[in-house]
């Protein structure tokens, strides 16, 4: 939802800027094996927090927030370890560039969060990759060989940890002119308005630097 809110804020911004996304990998539960029902995972989290009924209010709240952004969240699917999808995402970044890799990541998110197609399952990862025009042979090679791009992904995650980032979403926005730049960091999924205000503040900062 954070990415969608940022995209809508950029559309509202209506300035002539070139936008490039640089996505970094992150795994919340690297120790997870197999698959679990999403609702079961959330129910366990609520129980650990001392509030078993928390899951119901959380699901309703998230679905309502999603709808304001045009996202129809569905918590009826499964979750698993996302390392393999991140390894294929790294392949796409290397082979096809940032624009296509963002298209791939957005498609995975739609499948996982809206269509009950867990992107920790190889058949769903391959389906998404083929849909955006990736080489079936190369994707299958990565899925079959667990070592391909594994160190790339884990090293990037380790770097984020060393930067103090242990949860997502995390956004670093950088706005550049020829001679200057402005940077904002945001931890958490901001609203469209909050992202828009951040962009306007960065623009104001750059205008002052250019004077």
């Amino acid at each position: 939802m954070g990415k969608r809110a940022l995209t809508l804020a950029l559309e509202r911004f209506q300035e002539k800027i070139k936008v490039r996304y640089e996505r970094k990998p992150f795994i919340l539960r690297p120790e997870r094996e197999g698959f679990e029902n999403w609702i079961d995972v959330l129910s366990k989290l609520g129980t650990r927090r001392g509030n078993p009924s928390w899951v119901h209010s959380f699901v309703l709240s998230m679905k309502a927030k999603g709808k304001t952004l045009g996202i129809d969240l569905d918590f009826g699917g499964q979750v698993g370890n996302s390392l393999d999808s991140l390894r294929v995402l790294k392949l796409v970044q290397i082979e096809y560039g940032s624009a296509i890799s963002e298209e791939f990541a957005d498609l995975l998110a739609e499948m996982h969060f809206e269509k009950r197609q867990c992107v920790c399952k190889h058949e769903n990862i391959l389906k998404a990759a083929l849909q955006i025009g990736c080489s079936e042979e190369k994707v299958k090679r990565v899925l079959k060989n667990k070592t391909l791009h594994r160190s790339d992904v884990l090293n990037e995650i380790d770097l984020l940890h060393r930067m103090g980032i242990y949860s997502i979403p995390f956004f670093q926005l950088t706005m550049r002119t020829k001679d200057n730049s402005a940077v904002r960091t945001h931890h958490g999924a901001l609203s469209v308005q909050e992202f828009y205000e951040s962009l306007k503040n960065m623009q104001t900062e750059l205008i002052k630097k250019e004077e």
Side-chain angles (χ1 to χ4, degrees), residues 125-171:
I125 299 172
L126 179 61
K127 177 182 177 181
L130 294 179
Q131 189 168 323
I132 64 166
C134 293
S135 163
E136 180 175 2
E137 179 184 357
K138 290 181 178 180
V139 173
K140 284 185 174 179
R141 186 185 305 128
V142 171
L143 291 174
K144 184 177 181 179
N145 187 339
K146 297 292 186 181
T147 65
L148 289 178
H149 301 300
R150 179 185 176 88
S151 61
D152 298 331
V153 170
L154 296 181
N155 286 341
E156 288 194 33
I157 293 174
D158 180 63
L159 177 60
L160 293 176
H161 287 168
R162 286 188 275 119
M163 293 170 60
I165 301 171
Y166 289 94
S167 63
I168 53 174
F170 179 87
F171 296 88

Side-chain angles (χ1 to χ4, degrees), residues 187-203:
H187 214 149
L190 274 64
S191 67
V192 176
Q193 181 62 28
E194 288 170 326
F195 273 126
Y196 176 76
E197 291 173 358
S198 184
L199 292 168
K200 294 296 288 186
N201 288 337
M202 294 166 73
Q203 181 187 42

Side-chain angles (χ1 to χ4, degrees), residues 98-139:
S98 60
I100 298 299
S101 66
E102 272 304 299
E103 184 180 345
F104 178 60
D106 288 343
L107 180 56
L108 289 178
E110 179 183 345
M111 293 168 64
H112 189 74
F113 293 108
E114 299 184 70
K115 297 184 177 181
R116 299 189 181 187
Q117 298 177 31
C118 179
V119 296
C120 305
K121 295 183 178 181
H122 287 188
E123 60 267 29
N124 292 333
I125 299 172
L126 179 61
K127 177 182 177 181
L130 294 179
Q131 189 168 323
I132 64 166
C134 293
S135 163
E136 180 175 2
E137 179 184 357
K138 290 181 178 180
V139 173

